[in-house]
Every structure is written in structure tokens, then in C-alpha cells.
Amino acid sequence: MKIFSDMTALMTGMWITWKHIFRRPVTIQYPEQRRQPYPRYRARIVLTRDPEGGERCVACQLCSAACPVDCISMQPAEGDGGRRYAEWFRINFARCIFCGLCAEACPTLAIQMTPDYEICTRDIMNLIYEKEDLLIDGCGKSADYNFYRHAGIAVTQPRGNGAEELPPVDVRGLMP
Amino acid sequence: METYLFYILAVVTVIGTILAITEKHPVHAIVHLVTSFFSLAAIFFLLAAPLIAMFEVIIYAGAVMVLFMFVIMMLDPGRTDQAGRPGLRQWLLPAILGVIILVSIGVLAAGYVTAPHTSSAITVREFAVTLFRKYGVAIEIISMQLLFAVVGALYLGRRRAP
Amino acid sequence: MSYDPIDITLIGAKIALVFFVILTLAAYLVFAERKVLAWIQDRKGPNRVGPFGLLQPLADLIKLLTKEDFRPIGADKWLFYLAPAMAAIPAIMIFAVIPFGAPLTVFGHSVELQISDLNVGLLLFLALSSIAVYGVALGGWASNSKYALLGSIRGLAQLISYELSMGLSLVPVVMLARSFRLSDIVAAQSGCWFIVYQPLAFIIFLISIAAECKRIPFDLPEAEGELVAGFHTEYSGMRFGLFFVGEYINIIVLGGLAATFFLGGWHGPWLPPVIWFSGKVLAFAFLFIWMRGTLPRLRYDQLMHFGWKILTPLALVNILVTGWWLVLRG
Ligand code: SF4
Ligand code: SF4
């Protein structure tokens, strides 16, 4: 009879919810108990430095282009020795969705996500982070990576001395 | 105390009914009519007929008017507040009928001798005995009629073969 | 007619007490519902305001009172303001006929724990619950919003349909007790509760009252998945609060009636009658909350089909069988 199977189904449902009334709640009481997020958790964004202490960011705009909500903006500039940097660099955390695409796009590993999720404030203007707020004095993840050691241009070392780099070929010396 | 209550309720009933007739908006008219039914029910209650009072509310206010309301809400009647009032010619017949009713009420009221006041309320049992013993045949005929109406409604509302 | 001043004082005191208790209970029912739903969903529920969150209803009240009193453009002013009251007042008025305890003796006066022992109490309940339909209907219609209108059309159809089966399921109770007076119905159950004689009527009544107070699985008039909040979509602040509290008052009152009609009212061994009565009411309230935590919402056609083609015929058959049984037993 269909009515009996239907009633059993209803009773099964009621029994399951009844059992759940006596389960221990899974709630974490936030301000008192905090949850330690995993290191790869995606929250507040930082700009890291290379092992020598220079800014990693080369203001290539790739993060800005990758950002789906367009919340990164910057002004590129060039320092001595042809080393590029961002004159100003701004992330609007009121718009950021913490997708991590900027960090994936960055060729120099400058922009990185950190597990610090407690950045909410009452004034929305406080969520606009400038370069001073973003730049940290460490290397973040991939501590020993230095973009210019691998790049083919002479900024931190003469050309041909970088890692995985062969000495430049003297085109005029290729006499038969 | 009861007399004052009666007059207050009577005034509410009459005003509610007049407003229900003159109101152009159907939903407002329903609300006025329900108010009038409600005070009418209270009057019945004062007249020691609680059963009638309850049926007044359950059937008229609670069922008939709710169905009206349902139909009005389903079939949006449009801007009824812009509709014109009926002309003089249409008023003629209702006016004649109204006069006849008023005159007959007046004649009846003039020749009426106030019955000795029965202090106790009519009990449900007395009511039921009168209804089903004395007027049993009439009740059966009415219920048959309602049954015919139901069958007719079903016939009209049946799903026709495409 | 002359009135004894002590009687009048006692009636006033009873009304004040019932009013206070019901409103407090309704507020705490909201809290209990949030708590129980949270437990069912493995959460903790409100626990910040006061010890165990017990002051939460107060915080809710303050929030509702300080909200903007909003009226949408094109809304029908009077009906819009009238509707919440029409939803809440009939619900609380029904409690006037419910006996909530055995008669007491105070200062030599015998006091019935019931505000008015009307000889048509059961009919008064049906009358007032049919009036409560207007709150839903007018509230949705006057809001000038399509969600609200759809919600109130659904609500009207649902309430009319289930009122029928509710009324019919009570006929056997009246046949057994031979009275419309609620105190007689309770007295008739001093030996054996009517749920024993009338299990089917009890189930029909239970389902119908779940539909009457628009609870899941019958919450189509305010189905939040489809109609935002149904007939009270456009209400804010305390007007919404009235609708909301009215619903919980309805739960208490209908639970009280279910206890009165089928579970022997205040009858029960060992404990004082008032405790028995409130225990039964709270059990019904818990049942409704539990059902809300478990069951999914019905579809509209299923609702109508169930009401008209299953519940109402069943109730009619039940009346017939009860009649035969009473005649055969003599
Ligand atoms: S953070 Fe990375 S991707 Fe963005 S501009 Fe700087 S170097 Fe380019
Ligand atoms: S995390 Fe996503 S949204 Fe945020 S800045 Fe990076 S790319 Fe933009």
C-alpha cells in the first residue's frame, strides 16, 4: 500500500531530525573561538619582497587584468637600472571576492593571498588598501624566489649570469 | 447596558450596509458588509440566539464573503472607482420594491405585540429539535436543492473533451 | 442585570492574565522555534542576548519597533493598516472559550479557569478562525504587489479548504460530548480521551490546523522560495510583527484547542490541571516546530487535492461511522 510507504517515509524523516536535536552543534562561537585557517586559505592580499629585500612587483598589470571584479589598480614606474616598480598600488577590498586569480596571474609571485580573514571595518573607505598597507617585509610563500635572477634582463646581475641562463651569444663573433 | 449596546450595534449595522451599497470598490464593499454582518451577529447574540450569531459569522462573513473576495482578487475588476452610477430609470424598480418592503415592515411592526421576554438563551438542543422535527421536510428539500446545484456546477465545470 | 463587582474583577484579572501569558508565550515560541530549528540543523541558535539568549524576544521586539513603517505606493491605506490586526486579533479572541484548568475557589467564589463558558464555544472558534482569513486576504490585496496578491489568493483558497475539513473533523467530537460547550467537551473526557475513540478525526484535525496556521508543509501563502514572503511581503516593522506574532498565537490557540477536543483538555493524573494543559499545548507547538524542521512544502495542486479529495471525504465518512456507532450503542 502506497500510504504505508509514504507514512514510513515521513516517520523516517521525523526520526532523523529528532536524532539531530541531540547532536553536538558544529557551530564555532566566533569572537571567542577562532578557527585557524589553512595556510593556503584565500583572504587579505599582500605584496611580498624578494629575498634581497627589493619589491617583487614589476607593475606588469597582469593581476589587474586577471581580476574579475577589477579591483586592482596601479601606476607603473621605472627605477634606476631599469627596475620597474609600482608608483602606487591599490586594492579595493570592498570589491575583492578573494578568488585568488591575481595571485595565480602574477609572474613574479609578488601578490599573494594570506589566511588573515578579519579585515572587516565599519567604514568602507578603510577597505581600500594602498601600497604601504599591502607591502610586507617578507617573502611570503616561495621564500627563495627572485624574479630578476631568472629574468633575461640586466637588473640585479649582468646578462647571462642568471639562473638557467646561458651566456649571451656574441653575434659578431660568429665568423666562419 | 444591553440597550445601549444594541443601539450602537444597530447603527454600525445600518451604516455598514449603506456603505456596502454605495461603495464603488468591491473589496471595500466587502469589508463594509463583513463589518455589518459582524455587528448583526452581535445583535443576535444580545437577542439570546448565540447559535444564529455564530452561523451568521461562519457562513456569511466567513464563507460567502470570503468566496466573493477570492473571485474579485482572481478577476481583477479594473478601475471600478471610475464607473458611473446607474441612471434614474434603473433606480425606479428598486425604489418601488424598497417602498413595498418598508411599508410591509411598518405594518407588521405596528400590529406586533411584544412577546414576553424569555430570559434564557435558546439552547442548541432546542434549536436542533425545532429545525429537524418541525421543519425537517423543508430542510431535506433545501438540501436536495443544494445537491442539484452542486451537480449542476460540476457539470458546468467539467473538463470537456478536446 | 446586575453584576457582582468581585466577578467583574475576576474576569478582568483572567483576561489580563491570559493576554499576558499568551503574548509572552508567543514571543518565546519564536525563540523556541529558532532554537529547535538550530538544534535540528546542528547549530546552536540565538545565544547572545542574555543567558542562553533568553532575552532574544526582547531584542527582536526592539528591532521591530524601531524599523521604518513602510507603505508601498498604490497600497490601499486603510486596509493595509487594518489587515495585521485582523490577522492577530481573532486568533487571540479564540482563547476566550478555551478552559485551561479545573475550576478554582478564590475568596469563596468558584472561578472557572476559562474566560467565557459560551454554550456555542466550538462554533465561536470556527467563526473566528474563518474571520482570520480576512487578515491574509486583505493584507495581500492591499499591498499592491504581485507576490503579496499571489500569496493571499493561495492563502484564501487554502484556508477555506482546510477550514471545511477542520470543522467536519470536530463533528464527531460534538457527537460524543453532546455539546458545543468546551467545558462540557472537557468534562466528557474525564474518563477516556477522545483521541482513543476518534484517532482519525484527531489526525484530520491536526493536519487541518497545520494548514490553518500556515505552517510548513502547508506554508504556501508565504512560500519564501517563490513568493518572497507571500501575503506579508510588503509589511515592515511592527505591522509585520503583528502578522508574525499572530501566527504564533494561532499555534498556541490551535494547540490548546487540539488538546481540549482530543487530549482531554486539562485532565491528567498527578500533576495540577494547568500544568497538564500547558504541557499539551507546548507539545503541539513542539510538534509543529519539529515538522517545520523536517518536511518539505507541498505543491499547490497537491494541497488542494489533499484537502478536498482526501481529508474532507475522510472526515465525512468518519462522521457517518461515528453516527452509526452511537446509534448502535444506543
Ligand atoms: S603584483 Fe604581480 S601581476 Fe600584479 S603588477 Fe605586480 S608583478 Fe604584475
Ligand atoms: S583575489 Fe580575485 S577579486 Fe581579489 S584582487 Fe585578486 S583577482 Fe581581484
Side-chain angles (χ1 to χ4, degrees):
Chain A
M1 286 266 285
K2 186 150 184 304
I3 181 160
F4 287 118
S5 69
D6 287 357
M7 263 158 58
T8 333
L10 281 183
M11 289 306 140
T12 320
M14 297 294 264
W15 172 240
I16 285 175
T17 43
W18 175 259
K19 274 193 303 188
H20 274 259
I21 290 180
F22 305 103
R23 282 242 181 121
R24 177 186 296 281
V26 295
T27 315
I28 295 172
Q29 294 288 309
Y30 165 60
E32 293 95 41
Q33 300 171 4
R34 282 162 205 238
R35 173 170 174 187
Q36 182 59 46
Y38 290 102
R40 282 167 56 93
Y41 191 86
R42 298 198 306 262
R44 185 167 63 89
I45 298 172
V46 291
L47 286 175
T48 54
R49 292 175 186 273
D50 59 29
E52 276 113 77
E55 286 171 27
R56 268 177 176 164
C57 175
V58 294
C60 66
Q61 308 267 23
L62 280 178
C63 51
S64 178
C67 178
V69 292
D70 284 344
C71 64
I72 307 181
S73 51
M74 73 196 77
Q75 173 65 51
E78 203 161 307
D80 37 292
R83 182 169 178 135
R84 279 168 59 93
Y85 66 98
E87 223 169 40
W88 49 264
F89 192 104
R90 189 175 294 146
I91 299 183
N92 181 354
F93 280 116
R95 258 165 98 177
C96 177
I97 55 173
F98 302 103
C99 61
L101 289 181
C102 50
E104 254 174 64
C106 182
T108 66
L109 302 186
I111 194 163
Q112 291 185 3
M113 316 292 288
T114 64
D116 172 23
Y117 54 87
E118 292 170 308
I119 60 171
C120 55
T121 66
R122 290 199 177 265
D123 184 8
I124 199 168
M125 294 311 280
N126 291 344
L127 283 175
I128 296 175
Y129 277 46
E130 295 292 341
K131 189 169 165 187
E132 307 83 74
D133 313 317
L134 293 166
L135 198 61
I136 58 166
D137 283 334
C139 310
K141 302 165 211 170
S142 315
D144 47 357
Y145 181 73
N146 187 339
F147 171 73
Y148 285 108
R149 296 268 175 248
H150 303 263
I153 55 170
V155 173
T156 51
Q157 71 271 356
R159 293 190 63 185
N161 293 358
E164 314 125 18
E165 203 182 4
L166 299 174
V169 177
D170 181 7
V171 285
R172 291 196 188 76
L174 278 179
M175 300 301 275
Chain B
M1 171 87 176
E2 267 92 7
T3 330
Y4 293 127
L5 260 181
F6 170 77
Y7 281 118
I8 294 171
L9 289 168
V11 168
V12 170
T13 314
V14 171
I15 290 179
T17 317
I18 290 174
L19 282 177
I21 295 169
T22 53
E23 177 66 55
K24 279 183 183 169
H25 201 294
V27 174
H28 290 181
I30 286 181
V31 174
H32 292 312
L33 202 56
V34 168
T35 318
S36 128
F37 282 150
F38 225 79
S39 46
L40 200 60
I43 290 177
F44 276 130
F45 203 88
L46 283 183
L47 295 177
L51 203 63
I52 312 282
M54 289 307 135
F55 283 144
E56 175 91 20
V57 176
I58 295 177
I59 295 172
Y60 289 103
V64 178
M65 283 298 124
V66 170
L67 279 180
F68 276 26
M69 184 110 166
F70 186 68
V71 172
I72 288 168
M73 276 162 60
M74 289 285 272
L75 321 165
D76 178 24
R79 301 293 313 245
T80 44
D81 45 343
Q82 284 163 2
R85 294 199 182 279
L88 259 180
R89 283 171 58 93
Q90 273 109 323
W91 279 107
L92 198 62
L93 199 61
I96 293 173
L97 289 177
V99 167
I100 292 175
I101 292 172
L102 276 182
V103 166
S104 40
I105 289 178
V107 169
L108 279 180
Y112 187 68
V113 190
T114 37
H117 186 62
T118 48
S119 57
S120 65
I122 304 165
T123 61
V124 181
R125 190 178 301 274
E126 288 165 28
F127 182 83
V129 167
T130 323
L131 198 65
F132 288 105
R133 289 270 159 78
K134 201 166 164 199
Y135 301 110
V137 180
I139 293 279
E140 284 309 314
I141 290 173
I142 290 171
S143 60
M144 286 306 273
Q145 224 161 20
L146 285 177
L147 189 64
F148 298 152
V150 169
V151 173
L154 273 180
Y155 177 75
L156 289 177
R158 78 198 189 281
R159 201 166 280 150
R160 275 160 236 266
Chain C
M1 208 186 284
S2 68
Y3 297 102
D4 186 351
I6 296 186
D7 280 343
I8 293 191
T9 326
L10 278 175
I11 288 178
K14 275 191 288 187
I15 292 176
L17 185 78
V18 164
F19 221 73
F20 175 75
V21 168
I22 288 190
L23 286 181
T24 321
L25 207 57
Y28 274 93
L29 207 53
V30 180
F31 174 71
E33 166 143 56
R34 289 171 68 180
K35 271 287 191 198
V36 173
L37 281 183
W39 291 335
I40 286 177
Q41 294 158 4
D42 293 350
R43 294 184 285 116
K44 285 193 172 165
N47 62 351
R48 290 281 165 189
V49 195
F52 307 106
L54 276 176
L55 296 181
Q56 185 71 36
L58 211 64
D60 288 345
L61 180 74
I62 293 170
K63 186 195 80 175
L64 283 175
L65 283 176
T66 49
K67 286 232 168 182
E68 183 193 355
D69 186 13
F70 176 76
R71 180 162 58 92
I73 295 177
D76 194 305
K77 191 170 165 201
W78 283 108
L79 295 183
F80 188 77
Y81 288 161
L82 186 69
M86 285 187 93
I89 291 175
I92 206 164
M93 270 166 73
I94 296 175
F95 211 89
V97 293
I98 303 180
F100 50 89
L104 293 177
T105 314
V106 183
F107 304 128
H109 279 249
S110 160
V111 183
E112 288 137 28
L113 288 186
Q114 179 181 16
I115 292 172
S116 158
D117 195 7
L118 210 56
N119 65 346
V120 286
L122 192 144
L123 292 178
L124 184 90
F125 152 56
L126 291 179
L128 287 176
S129 68
S130 65
I131 286 301
V133 175
Y134 283 100
V136 176
L138 293 177
W141 180 82
S143 304
N144 191 28
S145 145
K146 49 176 164 283
Y147 293 123
L149 185 69
L150 281 173
S152 63
I153 288 179
R154 280 184 184 188
L156 266 181
Q158 171 179 335
L159 293 182
I160 299 175
S161 318
Y162 280 81
E163 210 151 275
L164 200 67
S165 53
M166 184 171 74
L168 288 177
S169 72
L170 290 180
V171 174
V173 172
V174 177
M175 288 160 82
L176 287 176
R178 292 165 185 277
S179 173
F180 282 118
R181 195 188 288 268
L182 260 59
S183 56
D184 289 350
I185 294 178
V186 172
Q189 298 177 73
S190 55
C192 184
W193 294 356
F194 282 166
I195 187 175
V196 179
Y197 299 124
Q198 290 293 338
L200 186 62
F202 174 69
I203 290 170
I204 295 172
F205 185 72
L206 198 65
I207 295 174
S208 310
I209 61 175
E212 274 299 294
C213 45
K214 306 182 279 294
R215 300 282 301 176
I216 283 178
F218 303 104
D219 69 332
L220 283 123
E222 46 197 275
E224 61 269 14
E226 315 147 34
L227 296 181
V228 192
F231 62 94
H232 55 59
T233 304
E234 302 293 339
Y235 282 89
S236 67
M238 212 46 221
R239 294 185 198 285
F240 163 73
L242 258 182
F243 270 126
F244 198 64
V245 166
E247 235 157 77
Y248 286 88
I249 293 175
N250 229 337
I251 294 176
I252 298 170
V253 167
L254 291 174
L257 284 166
T260 308
F261 292 143
F262 293 100
L263 296 186
W266 41 262
H267 282 300
W270 306 306
L271 294 171
V274 180
I275 305 268
W276 265 108
F277 182 76
S278 10
K280 285 168 189 171
V281 171
L282 291 182
F284 276 110
F286 176 76
L287 180 67
F288 283 140
I289 296 171
W290 184 17
M291 261 158 52
R292 172 163 177 197
T294 312
L295 302 178
R297 183 181 306 131
L298 259 67
R299 222 169 48 213
Y300 188 67
D301 58 326
Q302 291 170 336
L303 177 92
M304 284 295 143
H305 181 274
F306 188 62
W308 285 104
K309 297 193 179 162
I310 298 180
L311 279 191
T312 309
L314 262 184
L316 284 171
V317 169
N318 194 27
I319 294 174
L320 212 64
V321 171
T322 313
W324 278 334
W325 182 63
L326 282 178
V327 167
L328 286 183
R329 221 183 46 164

